[in-house]
Amino acid sequence: MNGHDSELMESVLISSGFQRVDSEAAANIVILNTCSVREQAEHKAIGRLQQLARRKALEKNFYLGVSGCMAQNLGLELFRRVPALDFAIAPGSIYAIGEVLKRLEHGEKQIFLANGDIETFAEDDTNFCRRKITRVSAFVTIANGCNMNCAYCIVPKTRGRETCRPINNIMHEVQFLVANGVKEIILGGQIVNFYGIRKIPFENGKSPFVQLLEKIHTIDGLERIRFLSPHPSGFRDDLIRSYSDLPKLCPHVHFPIQSGSDRILRAMRRSYTRRMALEILGNLRRSIPAMAISTDLIVGFPGEMEEDFHQTEQLFNEIDFDMAFIFKYSPRAGTSAAAMGNQIPKIISEERNQILLKRLAVTSLRRNQLFLNSHQSVLVEASSAKDPRILWGYTPHHKKVFFPAPEKMIGKIVDVKITRITTCALTGTLASE
Ligand code: SF4
């Protein structure tokens, strides 16, 4: 989402009359778009801001700003830590970036905009029309913020309450992207599958998110739809059915399960149980047998006993994940988990992390083996940095494929025969265009 927020700010700035330059040295406005999910990221950003602040002393027309989660999390404290800072804008207010710069030009100092200070998603917003399209796959924000309260997560504090973007405005952006060569869109938000849940009524048993998927599916020229990140509790039958009803919806689900132990899920304040999660995953694989499933897992959450970890291990074995992002829990100031007793020693988290990583190497390889000698349609993204004669792209199951082909294939969907697999990628030869 941060990458996409940077693109949005660029669009707003260009429409406000600013220009993009090729290097930081040539810029007279530098904005650091920040992440707060780990404390380490904030320390790095402050260090970088302090370095950049030296330019303020030397250049009269140089403006320095911060956007993103750190702006909301630290607020006015940021100006104390970096006195040369000109502005700080929370994620929900980034659309006001052009206005903020104009206010600075008129002599205002140290401007701070928090989440909620401006309307995040205006019905008539057209800033997306200035998006610089660099890839055949594009991210489209449909919601921002989160109303959940997971014990380990700072996001509700930094991105604020959930807001959702009007359907028509999303449709206009997707139509614009497709008209400009985009073939795949990734619908994004903190919990995408809760999209509009409090604002838009269900229709024929279909949630607002499924209604949105169906609308987007009708756009001619759009080939693939993905979404990120969903919440396990939002996988109701209507969404599961969409995978068979909507051919453009790619057969890959990211399902952030976090733990296999009910006791830990409760402590994390996740709103589902192990049984519910297994049932949903079973239904997904029954509906699309080769469905690729990736997940997020946290090991070493406060109070995680051997038995809890064992349950995560068992669940991990049962599901055969295609991919997993396994995090060693680290306390994040400002979250309730940071104040919990029973913090797990780092050495134990590391051990558990290694156990799951080893297991993942086996399951990823086994899942990738399913594709050996098959033909896959690959959306070609770019040429390899190491060898420009090799192109790469993704299959509908989100498997990265490398294959030799001429550069003119970039942006197309091609048929590739898979001849070799590893744990993290497939290799093949071009079968036809
Ligand atoms: S649902 Fe996701 S974004 Fe929201 S609090 Fe939980 S982990 Fe954070």
Side-chain angles (χ1 to χ4, degrees):
M1 283 204 74
N2 272 28
H4 184 54
D5 285 352
S6 297
E7 273 187 26
L8 267 177
M9 283 191 284
E10 183 181 346
S11 313
V12 177
L13 287 171
I14 291 172
S15 60
S16 309
F18 295 90
Q19 274 180 352
R20 186 191 168 93
V21 288
D22 290 332
S23 69
E24 186 188 295
N28 51 8
I29 303 164
V30 173
I31 307 163
L32 248 63
N33 192 21
T34 57
C35 171
S36 274
V37 80
R38 285 174 180 264
E39 233 157 298
Q40 183 62 12
E42 283 192 353
H43 292 320
K44 271 192 190 166
I46 296 276
R48 187 79 188 90
L49 283 170
Q50 284 164 343
Q51 257 177 10
L52 284 162
R54 292 189 206 122
R55 271 181 71 182
K56 285 283 296 177
L58 306 170
E59 295 171 44
K60 197 164 155 267
N61 288 326
F62 179 71
Y63 294 107
L64 181 59
V66 170
S67 60
C69 292
M70 193 171 86
Q72 178 70 25
N73 194 33
L74 299 184
L76 296 172
E77 163 72 8
L78 265 172
F79 296 102
R80 195 189 61 73
R81 290 169 71 175
V82 188
L85 191 65
D86 292 300
F87 63 94
I89 308 181
S93 290
I94 55 171
Y95 283 89
I97 180 77
E99 280 306 307
V100 166
L101 285 165
K102 283 185 182 148
R103 282 165 59 187
L104 286 169
E105 280 177 337
H106 286 105
E108 260 187 77
K109 303 253 183 277
Q110 298 200 317
I111 299 170
F112 172 57
L113 286 186
N115 286 328
D117 283 355
I118 68 150
E119 191 185 358
T120 306
F121 296 121
E123 177 87 45
D124 56 354
D125 169 52
T126 53
N127 280 308
F128 58 78
C129 293
R130 282 149 204 109
R131 266 185 89 164
K132 197 169 144 209
I133 297 166
T134 51
R135 294 178 54 191
V136 278
S137 172
F139 197 85
V140 173
T141 300
I142 63 167
N144 184 47
C146 178
N147 291 356
M148 294 285 190
N149 191 18
C150 301
Y152 51 84
C153 181
I154 193 87
V155 167
K157 188 174 169 200
T158 59
R159 287 205 171 245
R161 304 282 296 167
E162 190 183 286
T163 47
C164 72
R165 187 171 169 192
I167 287 191
N168 282 345
N169 198 249
I170 298 171
M171 288 293 282
H172 289 151
E173 178 162 14
V174 179
Q175 279 155 346
F176 164 80
L177 292 169
V178 171
N180 285 282
V182 167
K183 292 201 165 65
E184 172 183 279
I185 54 136
I186 305 158
L187 301 175
Q190 264 66 47
I191 310 185
V192 271
N193 51 350
F194 283 177
Y195 170 81
I197 209 92
R198 283 168 201 83
K199 277 197 167 163
I200 304 169
F202 275 58
E203 251 177 38
N204 304 321
K206 291 176 186 168
S207 69
F209 182 61
V210 170
Q211 294 170 40
L212 175 67
L213 288 175
E214 288 182 345
K215 282 213 162 90
I216 290 174
H217 196 269
T218 61
I219 295 176
D220 279 343
L222 178 67
E223 304 278 351
R224 294 181 177 183
I225 305 171
R226 300 185 190 276
F227 56 83
L228 203 70
S229 272
H231 193 286
S233 306
F235 277 93
R236 297 160 203 245
D237 290 348
D238 58 329
L239 179 53
I240 296 174
R241 255 195 321 274
S242 302
Y243 284 95
S244 22
D245 292 350
L246 306 175
K248 293 178 185 177
L249 186 58
C250 290
H252 166 233
V253 165
H254 184 69
F255 194 89
I257 202 160
Q258 310 299 6
S259 172
S261 150
D262 279 343
R263 210 178 64 81
I264 295 299
L265 286 172
R266 259 195 317 277
M268 288 175 166
R269 295 205 208 99
R270 301 290 283 177
S271 55
Y272 50 90
T273 61
R274 170 199 178 88
R275 191 184 57 76
M276 283 157 75
L278 283 171
E279 205 172 294
I280 295 165
L281 290 171
N283 288 341
L284 281 164
R285 283 234 166 105
R286 265 188 294 281
S287 110
I288 305 276
M291 177 72 86
I293 300 174
S294 55
T295 194
D296 295 331
L297 276 163
I298 298 173
V299 292
F301 186 78
E304 186 188 65
M305 313 293 280
E306 270 302 319
E307 175 51 26
D308 298 306
F309 176 65
H310 184 59
Q311 290 190 19
T312 299
E313 242 188 308
Q314 271 185 341
L315 180 137
F316 205 78
N317 292 341
E318 204 169 318
I319 297 302
D320 245 6
F321 289 108
D322 291 74
M323 180 58 190
F325 300 92
I326 304 160
F327 301 94
K328 286 172 279 180
Y329 172 78
S330 64
R332 178 72 186 89
T335 63
S336 57
M340 286 178 180
N342 285 333
Q343 298 282 331
I344 303 297
K346 276 187 183 155
I347 189 161
I348 294 184
S349 304
E350 181 57 45
E351 220 172 80
R352 293 175 181 172
N353 186 36
Q354 287 306 322
I355 293 171
L356 293 188
L357 284 175
K358 276 194 194 127
R359 183 71 205 153
L360 178 63
V362 176
T363 59
S364 306
L365 193 66
R366 189 162 58 222
R367 295 289 304 167
N368 285 353
Q369 246 150 11
L370 298 176
F371 297 93
L372 192 60
N373 296 323
S374 70
H375 282 250
Q376 293 295 315
S377 59
V378 176
L379 176 57
V380 190
E381 294 241 359
S383 52
S384 144
K386 283 189 194 146
D387 182 350
R389 291 166 303 176
I390 305 292
L391 304 187
W392 63 266
Y394 284 99
T395 68
H397 296 84
H398 208 245
K399 302 284 175 187
K400 195 169 188 178
V401 182
F402 292 90
F403 58 100
E407 221 177 44
K408 65 176 186 190
M409 300 289 179
I410 293 174
K412 295 187 176 174
I413 294 182
V414 296
D415 182 0
V416 176
K417 179 163 186 214
I418 306 303
T419 52
R420 205 168 71 82
I421 55 137
T422 64
T423 50
C424 45
L426 317 177
T427 310
T429 54
L430 198 59
S432 71
E433 207 172 314

